[in-house]
């Protein structure tokens, strides 16, 4: 399976819910900071009885794949039951609801969104639409970006694009490093808003200001940000952003979102053509059609789907997102962020006390905390299995990703299971 794993190896959303959710839009950083400062020293789960099934282990690996909430599973079951019985199930109404919900989550308009198969598919779509090899010039990115994108930019480099890589210092990248790398020839700046490697969060607004002042556009991978840290695409000025849904949006594989700033559409080149892009379709080839000089009169939609839509997409994941996105709006991303902050502080303290090298900045507000450790998978698999704890274990690092269903007891269980390093 070609899954973007980071390890090596209610029913419908109503109009009332959407209106209520508008009060829960991502808060400005200052307000979010107040929420973090006010968070309690101890952390209890935000989940209620019936939100999740009992799990086989203490699960602290939601950055790899988030557990499916039981009500979201029920929504998928209901969809499949409707398919089995061939009862009506409105894909159009569901699509309208989930686009509206995700748009509220990132402060966009629904028409600025297109469905994509994955984050990688969204990023590739933008690279294609900018026709970078033909445009010449440079791309600026960094090594905290998703490692799956290394191949993309390596191949662009082999096609003549000047790809400039920025490396982190102390687990972070200062916007000044982007200011030095972005030149008048830069066509695209590409980054992960929250790094899959160590949870570092870029100052997206500042990087967009730097890039736009020099005529460059900015793409952000938001798979580790959407649904878990506040995002305001309008305030940041970001031009493009993409995410899959199987992590913090609590969806599943095969369906995600691509955001396109509407005033950038005219600068993009349509490289692929799919029926779902078409708004007007008047054929001239079938019995009783009006005669015409072409086989059909066709016009594309004037929104993001009109540029990037191809064919069908997963209705089952749409059913799942119908519940999960409404739940995120109900909980509030700022509250989810404040909930995990005591757990992250405890992890920083407890892991360093045990001798682990934490490479996540201590002020990080994202849900990813990473330690580097030679032979991490080999050394930690057995003690963690024995303790019944699941985290991301890689060859030379491990990552802990608490979600809103986790509590401080889960963190203590993990810390207790990890051997002290000599």
């Amino acid at each position: 399976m070609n899954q973007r794993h980071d390890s090596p190896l209610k029913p419908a959303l109503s109009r009332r819910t959407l209106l209520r959710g508008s009060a829960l839009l991502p808060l400005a950083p200052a307000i979010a900071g107040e929420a973090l400062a006010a968070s309690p020293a101890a952390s209890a789960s935000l989940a209620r009885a019936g939100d999740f099934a009992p799990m086989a282990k203490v699960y602290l690996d939601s950055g790899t794949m988030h557990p499916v909430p039981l009500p979201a599973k029920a929504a998928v079951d209901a969809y499949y039951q409707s398919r089995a019985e061939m009862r009506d199930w409105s894909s159009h109404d569901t699509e309208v609801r989930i686009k509206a919900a995700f748009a509220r989550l990132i402060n966009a308009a629904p028409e600025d969104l297109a469905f994509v198969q994955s984050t990688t598919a969204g990023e590739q779509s933008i690279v294609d639409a900018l026709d970078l090899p033909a445009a010449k010039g440079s791309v600026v990115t960094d090594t905290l970006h998703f490692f799956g994108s290394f191949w993309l930019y390596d191949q662009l480099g082999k096609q003549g694009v000047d790809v400039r890589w920025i490396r982190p210092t102390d687990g972070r990248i200062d916007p000044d490093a982007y200011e030095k790398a972005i030149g008048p020839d830069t066509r695209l700046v590409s980054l992960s808003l929250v790094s899959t490697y160590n949870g570092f969060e870029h100052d997206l607004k500042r990087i967009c200001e730097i890039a736009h002042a020099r005529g460059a556009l900015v793409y952000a991978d938001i798979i580790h940000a959407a649904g878990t840290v506040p995002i305001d695409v309008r305030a940041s000025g970001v031009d493009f952003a993409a995410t899959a849904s199987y992590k913090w949006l609590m969806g599943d594989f095969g369906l995600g979102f691509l955001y396109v700033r509407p005033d950038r559409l005219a600068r993009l080149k349509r490289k692929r053509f799919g029926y779902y892009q078409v708004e007007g379709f008047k054929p001239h080839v079938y019995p009783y059609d009006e005669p015409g000089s072409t086989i059909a009169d066709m016009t594309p939609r004037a929104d993001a789907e009109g540029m990037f839509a191809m064919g069908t997409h997963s209705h089952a994941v749409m059913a799942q997102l119908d519940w999960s996105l409404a739940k995120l709006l109900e909980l509030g991303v700022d509250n989810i962020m404040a909930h995990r902050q005591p757990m992250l502080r405890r992890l920083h303290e407890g892991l360093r006390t045990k001798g682990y090298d934490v490479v996540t900045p201590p002020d990080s507000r994202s849900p990813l905390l990473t330690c580097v450790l030679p032979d991490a998978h080999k050394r930690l698999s057995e003690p963690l299995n024995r303790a019944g704890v699941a985290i991301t274990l890689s060859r030379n690092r491990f990552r802990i990703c608490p979600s809103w269903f986790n509590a401080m007891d889960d963190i203590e269980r993990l810390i207790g299971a990890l051997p002290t390093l000599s």
Side-chain angles (χ1 to χ4, degrees):
M1 292 183 292
N2 183 21
Q3 297 174 354
R4 180 182 165 159
H5 283 187
D6 293 314
S7 60
L9 304 180
K10 197 177 210 211
L13 177 62
S14 66
R15 181 173 181 272
R16 179 178 297 176
T17 304
L18 283 172
L19 291 173
R20 185 174 69 247
S22 65
L24 298 170
L25 281 171
L27 302 182
I31 300 174
E34 292 172 9
L36 296 183
S39 60
S43 170
S45 173
L46 294 180
R48 297 174 295 195
D51 280 345
F52 292 92
M55 297 180 200
K57 294 183 177 183
V58 170
Y59 192 76
L60 290 163
D61 199 14
S62 291
T64 294
M65 178 168 43
H66 201 284
V68 175
L70 289 174
K73 176 183 177 297
V76 177
D77 292 343
Y79 162 72
Y80 279 121
Q81 190 66 31
S82 75
R83 289 288 311 277
E85 299 173 358
M86 296 311 296
R87 289 184 286 105
D88 288 343
W89 186 86
S90 176
S91 60
H92 175 267
D93 291 351
T94 308
E95 178 177 320
V96 167
R97 285 193 300 269
I98 67 171
K99 276 192 173 180
F102 185 73
R104 288 180 183 276
L105 205 59
I106 66 169
N107 194 24
E111 57 269 25
D112 300 339
L113 302 173
F115 287 120
V116 288
Q117 179 189 3
S118 64
T119 316
T120 298
E123 184 171 13
Q124 182 71 66
S125 295
I126 294 302
V127 166
D128 288 347
L130 291 172
D131 207 8
L132 290 175
K136 305 300 181 184
S138 66
V139 170
V140 178
T141 186
D142 64 69
T143 59
L144 292 182
H145 197 11
F146 174 47
F147 48 79
S149 295
F150 290 8
W151 171 246
L152 167 61
Y153 295 108
D154 176 75
Q155 293 303 300
L156 284 178
K158 291 177 179 178
Q159 295 176 53
V161 177
D162 175 16
V163 180
R164 302 170 186 171
W165 290 96
I166 301 172
R167 293 176 183 263
T169 301
D170 297 325
R172 62 176 75 237
I173 294 175
D174 194 285
D176 287 347
Y178 270 97
E179 188 149 30
K180 291 174 184 175
I182 298 170
D185 66 332
T186 301
R187 303 287 179 259
L188 180 69
V189 173
S190 181
L191 52 80
S192 291
L193 177 52
V194 170
S195 172
T196 188
Y197 167 69
N198 72 341
F200 169 74
E201 183 181 355
H202 279 286
D203 183 345
L204 184 58
K205 186 175 188 297
R206 179 64 188 130
I207 292 173
C208 288
E209 289 171 346
I210 295 166
H212 292 161
R214 297 173 189 180
L217 301 174
V218 179
Y219 164 82
D221 172 334
I222 57 171
I223 195 169
H224 282 298
T228 193
V229 299
I231 302 175
D232 188 329
V233 292
R234 288 171 171 157
S236 72
V238 69
D239 302 290
F240 318 108
T243 182
S245 68
Y246 64 90
K247 294 181 186 278
W248 306 102
L249 298 182
M250 301 180 290
D252 204 1
F253 300 98
L255 188 65
F257 300 93
L258 173 63
Y259 163 78
V260 181
R261 186 169 145 173
D263 59 345
R264 303 310 193 205
L265 282 169
R267 297 176 62 171
L268 304 177
K269 182 177 181 180
R270 187 180 285 103
K271 300 297 288 284
R272 298 178 183 178
F273 301 85
Y275 176 71
Y276 276 41
Q277 295 175 0
V278 175
E279 182 174 56
F281 182 77
K282 185 178 181 181
H284 305 299
V285 297
Y286 302 119
Y288 310 116
D289 283 350
E290 282 186 18
S293 59
T294 63
I295 59 169
D297 298 330
M298 293 172 282
T299 54
R301 294 169 55 159
D303 58 6
E305 289 282 5
M307 178 63 68
F308 292 107
M310 291 298 295
T312 54
H313 45 261
S314 172
H315 287 182
V317 183
M318 282 172 48
Q320 190 172 341
L321 290 170
D322 205 7
W323 185 88
S324 65
L325 293 177
K327 183 65 176 181
L328 288 172
L329 289 170
E330 177 190 325
L331 289 169
V333 171
D334 54 313
N335 293 325
I336 293 172
M337 187 171 63
H339 163 70
R340 68 170 171 267
Q341 209 63 19
M343 293 187 277
L344 295 175
R345 286 197 294 267
R346 176 64 182 125
L347 282 168
H348 275 280
E349 172 196 30
L351 293 171
R352 287 201 168 98
T353 298
K354 285 202 157 189
Y356 291 95
D357 184 4
V358 182
V359 294
T360 297
D363 59 348
S364 174
R365 61 182 189 169
S366 78
L368 283 66
L369 186 143
T370 299
C371 293
V372 292
L373 176 70
D375 297 320
H377 192 275
K378 180 197 250 181
R379 295 166 69 177
L380 300 181
S381 291
E382 194 277 331
L384 290 176
N385 282 333
R386 189 170 61 242
V389 178
I391 64 173
T392 309
L393 273 180
S394 301
R395 184 175 60 181
N396 294 317
R397 67 180 184 269
F398 63 92
R399 191 184 66 184
I400 304 149
C401 307
S403 187
W404 58 276
F405 62 85
N406 290 116
M408 192 66 80
D409 286 349
D410 300 333
I411 302 303
E412 297 298 346
R413 176 99 161 253
L414 168 65
I415 293 172
L418 291 170
T420 300
L421 302 181
S422 56

